[in-house]
């Protein structure tokens, strides 16, 4: 038997899984079929409120849309955050529909000229990934007569320890190396573009509170050094994010209150070069990841060479990350449960496998669950970030699952797409 990750506190301790006040069977009836993603917006809203209370004054909160671009979710979340971070022209269009252009920033390598032009004409800030991209953005500004708003994304000379994804301290497609960033600021400013500041993102999915604190302090120090080298005060310093959520057995949550207090101390003693700057942190999964549940129905219970397989109607084409094939080195089990008998004794060791013809399609490996039968519903938690949009949904041509935003204040009823 192998362990599973911790069921998020919002869902644990129930006998039958209830999401936003409604039992799973009710949601499935509403959607018409499984598989299905449900996001409980009240969980997201309380995450935002908790972080706001923890962060010091002068620090904005941005949402990175790529974590979950489901349109009703982005629309509901946009008014609760100060900015949206986008990574493509598609995300930019989505963000412009729900947020002022001046609060939107566009990062990501390989931005096409047409994407840069969209952002410049709209008035969004481009987080420049290279000198070459800067030259193209400045040329588009000249050609269109619109002053580009440009920030320099810096490839930091350190990394966020404990990161699931390391983004600094090495050669990188992301950002301009720290030792060349001040020169690029000079180029931008002398060209007459609107220099917006620095974007410094050192890693993702860290559960190490102390590492996040140290990284934020190092990020502030780097921004101050670059500002002094460039001889200019950055209007905004985007400090990145990297707050992880506990996916696997033994994982524990980050302590955002301690992080916020330490950031307050670090800001209080910051270098004069940052005296007039605003700051931002940008988060994806910490805001939305725990709010999502993926529901999939057992089609078949089969035995093979002494092992039990629960074959379900979903799979890695919807929830790649739970199969261990999205950026994990060692496959471990996401939190999983039998939705209709959450608190029944776990008497069986089973593997939950998806309906795709590949041995990669394993959503839970040798986990203890209550005895399950065809028709039972399996819940896979932590499906609110990097779920459907980060999965190969066309692989094997199964239908696209429904998504529901539950518990949204402006629309208390479910919203569906397919
Ligand atoms: C993906 C990404 C994020 C969000 O990361 P999470 O781990 O979901 O919080 C933030 N900023 C940038 C630049 C990103 O690429």
């Amino acid at each position: 038997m192998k362990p599973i990750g911790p069921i998020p506190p919002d869902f644990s301790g129930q006998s039958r899984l209830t999401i936003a006040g409604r039992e799973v069977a009710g949601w499935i009836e509403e959607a018409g079929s499984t598989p299905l993603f449900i996001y409980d917006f009240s969980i997201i809203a309380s995450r935002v409120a908790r972080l706001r209370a923890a962060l010091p004054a002068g620090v904005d909160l941005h949402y990175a849309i790529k974590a979950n671009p489901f349109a009703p979710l982005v629309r509901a979340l946009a008014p609760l955050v100060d900015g949206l971070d986008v990574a493509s022209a598609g995300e930019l269009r989505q963000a412009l529909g729900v947020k002022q252009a001046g609060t939107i920033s566009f990062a990501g390598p390989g931005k096409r000229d047409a994407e840069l032009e969209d952002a410049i004409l709209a008035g969004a800030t481009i987080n420049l990934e290279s000198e070459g991209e800067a030259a193209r953005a400045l040329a588009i500004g000249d050609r269109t007569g619109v002053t580009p708003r440009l920030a320099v994304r810096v490839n930091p000379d350190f990394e966020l320890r404990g990161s699931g994804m390391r983004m600094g301290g090495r050669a990188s497609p992301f950002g301009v190396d720290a030792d060349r960033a001040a020169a690029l600021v000079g180029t931008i400013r002398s060209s007459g573009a609107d220099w917006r500041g620095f974007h410094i993102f050192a890693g993702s999915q860290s559960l190490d509170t102390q590492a996040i604190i140290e990284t934020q302090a190092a990020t502030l120090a780097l921004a101050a050094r670059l500002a002094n080298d460039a001889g200019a005060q950055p209007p905004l310093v985007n400090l990145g994010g990297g707050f992880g959520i506990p996916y696997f057995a033994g994982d524990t949550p980050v302590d955002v209150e301690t992080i916020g207090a330490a950031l307050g101390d670090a800001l209080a003693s910051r270098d004069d070069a940052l005296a007039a700057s605003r700051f931002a942190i940008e988060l994806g999964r910490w805001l939305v990841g725990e709010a999502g549940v993926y529901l999939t129905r057992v089609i078949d219970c089969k035995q093979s060479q002494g092992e039990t397989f629960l074959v379900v109607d979903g799979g890695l084409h919807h929830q790649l990350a739970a199969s261990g094939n999205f950026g994990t080195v060692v496959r471990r089990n996401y939190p999983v449960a039998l939705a209709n008998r959450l608190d029944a004794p776990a008497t069986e060791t089973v593997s939950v496998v998806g309906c795709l013809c590949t041995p990669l399609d394993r959503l839970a490996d040798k986990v203890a669950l209550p005895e399950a039968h065809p028709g039972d519903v399996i819940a896979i938690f932590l499906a609110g970030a990097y779920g459907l949009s980060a999965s190969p949904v066309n692989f094997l041509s199964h239908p696209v699952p429904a998504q529901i935003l539950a518990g949204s204040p402006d629309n208390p009823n479910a919203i569906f797409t397919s």
Side-chain angles (χ1 to χ4, degrees), residues 172-194:
S172 172
F174 311 108
V176 177
D177 289 347
D179 59 3
R180 299 206 309 266
L184 182 57
V185 172
T187 305
I188 293 167
R189 294 181 71 232
S190 61
S191 75
D194 182 5

Side-chain angles (χ1 to χ4, degrees), residues 11 21 121 161 163 187 229 321 325:
F11 300 114
L121 295 183
R161 264 192 301 118
S163 268
T187 305
D229 288 353
N325 292 293

Side-chain angles (χ1 to χ4, degrees), residues 64 66-67 107 153 199 201 204-205 242-243 282-285 386:
K66 83 173 190 291
R153 180 169 180 179
H199 175 218
F201 184 80
S204 194
Q205 179 51 26
F243 298 16
E282 54 177 8
L283 298 177
R285 79 184 78 223
Y386 307 105

